[in-house]
């Protein structure tokens, strides 16, 4: 047993505190918004919006209102809009309390790789490098192993980096780990996962 | 001061040159200067370098300028939605300079603000930082990025008055203000040109000093990814 996508998102939502301004990445991180409950969270979309609302009802899509994943969305009573320079000003300037994003690899020193695989289609880093460099708390949500069963939590990243020493916490289908001095520290195991199983699936040094 | 022109082609008359650097506003297909792009396609100008967050999609937006091979080099943060782009890039016909999204926006803002370069933490220790000056401030590493000084900016806004004061709408603002700022000449297309005095001076998003030529036109405003929720959730 391990956490599924929704359980990982629900666990990631526990990282968010009342009053936080938060940026959610594409994929499982987007699902985190479904699990914030009563907490007063303001979502930032780096294309220039604070206070991102849910998807519109069919027929109410507005081409001038999209999120960073280019999906149609809606605004809320609290929403504000601004240009891309200001948007990344608040990201780089440390005003966003947390970023939750996916990853291909995380190293035990907090290095993050999530933007390119050499020799494969390169799409670009978008805003990921700015987010991990500027945001106070960077939480990675990803599967613990790749489709070949190899650990994605490594001693050193093999792929080109998105950021150096930037990750604070990793939430996988097997559990929660923190980046600490000397390696990764197990915070908790997913339901039905033993510490031995988590250790066996992890290449990074566990302290 | 005459800034209002009758068509995109008229507004671009005398401004286009082979090999020039153009900064374009827009994010994905949202807030892109689609009429000016069409007119640039028509002009046949070539060997362009285009600074734009994205490269359009096949057959729309900047994708049209790729189809006609008028672009030599793109400066972008994300180009994942365009098959023709990938084909030209992988075959070596098209140069690509990846910029982190915030770095690209700030490079435009800086260029338009008379700032030749700035230090940012973004990209330090990655491929993006390779070959760039590194400086330590308060114990943290920053890399030097340069301002973008474009020959021409092409921008989409919602409304303008005839003096070029601009108002944008929702997330269609995105890269348009910084792109406008960094152009030696800035041409703007809007959905509506309104009489002088009808925009609240306190609600102008970009003052007309940055805007040299304006056109009004019909926009397709294509949506890249329509996502909705069921009514029952209401």
């Amino acid at each position: 047993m391990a956490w599924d996508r929704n359980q990982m998102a629900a666990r990631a939502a526990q990282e968010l505190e009342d009053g936080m301004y938060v940026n959610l990445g594409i994929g499982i991180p987007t699902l985190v918004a479904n699990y914030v409950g009563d907490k007063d969270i303001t979502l930032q979309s780096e294309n220039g919006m604070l206070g991102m609302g849910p998807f519109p009802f069919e027929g109410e899509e507005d081409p001038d209102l999209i999120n960073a994943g280019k999906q149609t969305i809606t605004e809320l009573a609290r929403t504000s809009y601004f240009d891309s320079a200001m948007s990344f000003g608040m990201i780089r300037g440390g005003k966003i309390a947390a970023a939750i994003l996916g990853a291909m690899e995380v190293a035990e020193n907090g290095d993050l790789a999530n933007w390119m695989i050499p020799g494969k289609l390169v799409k670009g880093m978008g805003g990921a490098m700015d987010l991990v460099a500027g945001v106070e708390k960077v939480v990675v949500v990803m599967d613990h192993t790749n489709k070949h069963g190899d650990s994605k939590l490594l001693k050193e990243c093999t792929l080109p980096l998105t950021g150096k020493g930037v990750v604070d916490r990793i939430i996988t289908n097997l559990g929660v780990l923190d980046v600490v001095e000397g390696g990764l520290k197990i915070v908790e195991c997913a339901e039905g996962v033993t510490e031995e199983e988590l250790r066996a699936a992890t290449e990074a040094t566990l302290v | 001061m005459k800034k209002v022109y009758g068509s995109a082609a008229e507004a671009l008359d005398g401004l286009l040159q082979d090999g020039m650097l153009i900064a374009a506003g827009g994010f994905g297909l949202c807030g892109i200067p689609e009429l000016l792009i069409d007119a640039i396609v028509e002009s046949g100008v070539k060997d362009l370098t285009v600074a734009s967050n994205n490269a359009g999609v096949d057959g729309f937006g900047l994708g049209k300028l790729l189809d006609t091979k008028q672009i030599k080099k793109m400066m972008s943060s994300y180009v994942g939605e365009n098959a023709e782009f990938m084909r030209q890039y992988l075959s070596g016909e098209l140069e690509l300079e990846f910029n982190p999204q915030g770095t690209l926006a700030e490079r435009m803002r800086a260029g338009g603000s008379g700032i030749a370069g700035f230090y940012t933490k973004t990209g330090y220790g990655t491929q993006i930082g390779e070959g760039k000056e590194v400086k330590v401030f308060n114990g943290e590493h920053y890399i030097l990025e340069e301002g973008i000084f474009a020959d021409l900016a092409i921008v989409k806004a919602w409304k303008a008055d005839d003096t070029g004061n601009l108002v944008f709408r929702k997330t269609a603002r995105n890269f348009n203000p910084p792109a406008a700022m960094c152009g030696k000449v800035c041409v703007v297309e809007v959905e509506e040109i309104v009489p002088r005095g009808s925009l609240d001076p306190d609600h102008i998003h970009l003052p007309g000093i940055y805007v040299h030529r304006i056109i009004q036109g019909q926009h397709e405003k294509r949506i890249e990814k329509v996502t909705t929720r069921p009514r029952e959730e209401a």
Side-chain angles (χ1 to χ4, degrees):
Chain A
M1 271 300 288
W3 284 328
D4 64 20
R5 287 164 60 86
N6 284 301
Q7 288 168 314
M8 287 160 73
R11 179 58 190 81
Q14 290 177 30
E15 301 298 319
L16 305 182
E17 292 163 29
D18 209 51
M20 272 186 172
Y21 291 90
V22 176
N23 184 292
L24 302 178
I26 293 164
I28 300 176
T30 305
L31 301 174
V32 174
N34 300 336
Y35 298 96
V36 296
D38 293 336
K39 283 183 279 198
D40 187 27
I41 303 293
T42 305
L43 297 178
Q44 198 238 21
S45 191
E46 66 265 26
N47 53 320
M49 177 184 200
L50 277 166
M52 180 166 49
F55 294 147
F57 295 123
E58 198 180 331
E60 293 177 8
E61 308 87 355
D62 184 339
D64 289 336
L65 184 44
I66 63 169
N67 64 19
K70 323 234 163 79
Q71 299 170 309
T72 46
I73 49 164
T74 56
E75 63 187 20
L76 304 170
R78 72 176 58 186
T79 296
S80 58
Y81 299 109
F82 33 84
D83 69 56
S84 299
M86 178 176 277
S87 182
F88 283 92
M90 65 184 73
I91 287 168
R92 257 188 264 100
K95 314 299 178 189
I96 305 291
I100 301 179
L101 71 173
M104 298 172 187
E105 296 177 345
V106 178
E108 61 192 42
N109 63 354
D111 288 359
L112 168 72
N114 76 350
W115 80 280
M116 79 172 287
I117 302 173
K120 291 214 175 156
L121 212 58
V122 181
K123 295 183 170 185
M125 72 291 285
M129 285 192 181
D130 308 275
L131 280 159
V132 299
V135 171
E136 212 170 303
K137 179 174 182 177
V138 174
V139 178
V140 164
V141 180
M142 65 175 189
D143 282 329
H144 208 94
T145 54
N146 64 23
K147 60 182 180 228
H148 308 294
D150 304 322
S151 180
K152 293 170 71 172
L153 287 69
L154 306 173
K155 291 191 188 307
E156 268 181 56
C157 288
T158 63
L159 297 170
L161 297 185
T162 308
K164 200 157 179 51
V166 293
V167 176
D168 297 293
R169 177 163 279 197
I170 309 151
I171 297 170
T172 76
N173 52 323
L174 301 185
V176 180
L177 302 98
D178 276 348
V179 178
V180 298
E181 195 66 39
L184 303 183
K185 185 170 179 287
I186 298 173
V187 176
E188 66 186 76
C189 296
E191 250 176 84
V193 175
T194 66
E195 196 175 314
E196 288 65 43
E197 286 167 330
L198 198 155
R199 283 178 177 278
T202 306
E203 186 209 282
T205 308
L206 292 170
V207 297
Chain B
M1 176 172 64
K2 178 192 170 291
K3 294 190 179 181
V4 177
Y5 286 71
S7 70
E10 273 178 46
L12 290 170
D13 187 43
L15 300 181
L16 299 175
Q17 275 185 326
D18 290 351
M20 74 191 306
L21 169 57
I22 299 178
F27 181 93
L29 300 181
C30 182
I32 60 171
E34 50 184 271
L35 306 175
L36 292 164
I37 290 169
D38 286 350
I40 294 172
V41 171
E42 283 299 311
S43 79
V45 68
K46 58 182 193 303
D47 295 328
L48 300 172
T49 296
V50 180
S52 168
N53 187 55
N54 311 96
V57 296
D58 290 297
F60 195 66
L62 289 175
K64 290 185 178 177
L65 278 170
L66 289 165
D67 291 341
T68 52
K69 302 191 178 168
Q70 286 167 270
I71 298 178
K72 183 184 70 178
K73 178 179 173 182
M74 286 295 306
M75 301 163 73
S76 303
S77 86
Y78 189 84
V79 294
E81 317 298 341
N82 193 314
E84 176 61 16
F85 182 101
M86 278 300 158
R87 193 200 63 71
Q88 289 184 23
Y89 173 59
L90 294 172
S91 71
E93 295 166 54
L94 180 69
E95 287 174 59
L96 171 61
E97 177 191 297
F98 271 131
N99 283 253
Q101 195 173 139
T103 295
L104 184 64
E106 190 64 15
R107 289 184 65 191
M108 290 181 182
R109 200 195 69 84
S113 308
I115 293 171
F118 58 92
Y119 291 95
T120 175
K121 277 192 277 188
T122 302
Y124 168 72
T126 75
Q127 285 184 1
I128 294 304
E130 283 171 18
K132 290 175 185 163
E133 185 194 327
V134 175
K135 201 161 176 168
V136 177
F137 296 89
N138 299 317
E140 296 210 69
H141 292 85
Y142 291 73
I143 60 174
L144 178 65
E145 294 281 3
E146 294 182 5
I148 291 174
F149 299 85
D151 300 306
L152 172 68
I154 54 172
V155 162
K156 157 77 175 35
W158 182 35
K159 291 181 180 178
D161 65 20
D162 70 304
T163 73
N165 290 320
L166 301 184
V167 176
F168 301 91
R169 189 170 175 274
K170 303 184 188 287
T171 56
R173 193 182 317 185
N174 57 56
F175 274 80
N176 282 297
M181 289 170 72
C182 79
K184 246 180 251 152
V185 182
C186 172
V187 183
V188 181
E189 58 182 69
V190 299
E191 293 172 47
E192 190 184 0
I193 297 174
V194 298
R196 201 180 291 199
S198 61
L199 297 174
D200 184 336
D202 271 331
H203 293 174
I204 304 293
H205 295 140
L206 192 74
I209 192 169
Y210 293 106
V211 174
H212 304 97
R213 300 183 181 189
I214 315 157
I215 56 158
Q216 176 181 310
Q218 287 291 318
H219 292 83
E220 178 183 336
K221 299 216 279 185
R222 196 182 291 186
I223 296 178
E224 205 162 331
K225 293 177 189 168
V226 174
T227 44
T228 56
R229 68 189 143 132
R231 293 266 170 192
E232 299 84 90
E233 275 182 28

